[in-house]
Amino acid sequence: MSWNYSENEYIKVFRKLLNWEWYTDVNTKTLFLHCLLKANWKDGAWRGHTIKRGQFITSLPSLSKETGLTIREVRTALNHLKSTGEVTDKIYSKFRIITVKSYDSFQSSDRQNDSQATGKRQASDRQATADIRSIRSIRNKEDKKSAGAYDPLAGRRKRYDDL
């Protein structure tokens, strides 16, 4: 299935997830990561329902199709996540609203600060790259000068092989 997300949309996943009790349960881990990816990053509305940050609208068949898990595997994984407090869900007749309880601890609430920090890091990386290129350029010019210099002892110009 293809969603219409831009290249600038992302989630954070901390390495501490490796120590999470459900990490080795492939179905539960898959469903939890899917929930993080699907959760709204800002409040919104859908058919008269307020969908808050960290929530999304879905159904068991939709989750099954989107994750490649069977409906039974989705239901079991969802029960695992609910039993340890990672998610809650509110069930309606044709859909459910899933809430990722720890959404704010995974995702910064200030996306602007994240992009500013990334921008600053990229700017300093570009400056460092430019400095390295300048140094290489100077070295290459010096090498070419010395390579073409006249060597009075050899009675000829120096070659790269002689350096």
Side-chain angles (χ1 to χ4, degrees):
M1 172 165 273
S2 174
W3 293 288
N4 191 14
Y5 294 114
S6 77
E7 291 180 13
N8 297 330
E9 296 183 54
Y10 63 92
I11 64 166
K12 292 179 182 178
V13 179
F14 294 97
R15 290 186 197 276
K16 68 180 179 180
L17 190 65
L18 293 167
N19 300 325
W20 180 48
E21 66 183 290
W22 294 114
Y23 187 78
T24 56
D25 184 311
V26 175
N27 295 343
T28 304
K29 175 176 47 179
T30 297
L31 185 63
F32 183 62
L33 287 172
H34 186 71
C35 290
L36 282 174
L37 287 164
K38 291 280 292 193
N40 288 352
W41 66 273
K42 64 179 183 175
D43 292 354
W46 183 78
R47 297 185 182 180
H49 296 277
T50 300
I51 311 302
K52 297 184 184 274
R53 173 180 164 80
Q55 295 181 322
F56 66 102
I57 303 276
T58 193
S59 66
L60 292 179
S62 293
L63 289 172
S64 174
K65 185 176 180 182
E66 293 165 358
T67 61
L69 302 173
T70 66
I71 290 177
R72 176 181 233 158
E73 290 170 330
V74 168
R75 187 179 292 114
T76 300
L78 191 55
N79 285 335
H80 289 163
L81 295 172
K82 290 191 306 188
S83 73
T84 54
E86 273 81 21
V87 302
T88 61
D89 68 343
K90 186 167 184 181
I91 302 169
Y92 295 88
S93 61
K94 295 190 179 189
F95 64 93
R96 64 179 66 209
I97 298 176
I98 293 182
T99 303
V100 179
K101 298 298 285 181
S102 57
Y103 188 81
D104 283 331
S105 69
F106 275 93
Q107 309 307 310
S108 168
S109 60
D110 190 356
R111 292 173 66 88
Q112 186 175 3
N113 283 345
D114 288 344
S115 64
Q116 286 174 350
T118 301
K120 288 177 186 174
R121 186 172 56 247
Q122 288 174 346
S124 67
D125 289 348
R126 280 192 298 272
Q127 182 61 45
T129 302
D131 291 345
I132 290 169
R133 286 184 182 145
S134 295
I135 291 167
R136 285 183 182 157
S137 174
I138 292 167
R139 284 185 184 160
N140 286 339
K141 287 178 185 175
E142 289 173 355
D143 287 346
K144 286 178 184 177
K145 280 184 184 177
S146 67
Y150 184 77
D151 183 358
L153 297 175
R156 61 179 167 77
R157 296 217 176 263
K158 289 183 181 178
R159 298 179 313 198
Y160 282 106
D161 297 343
D162 298 331
L163 298 176

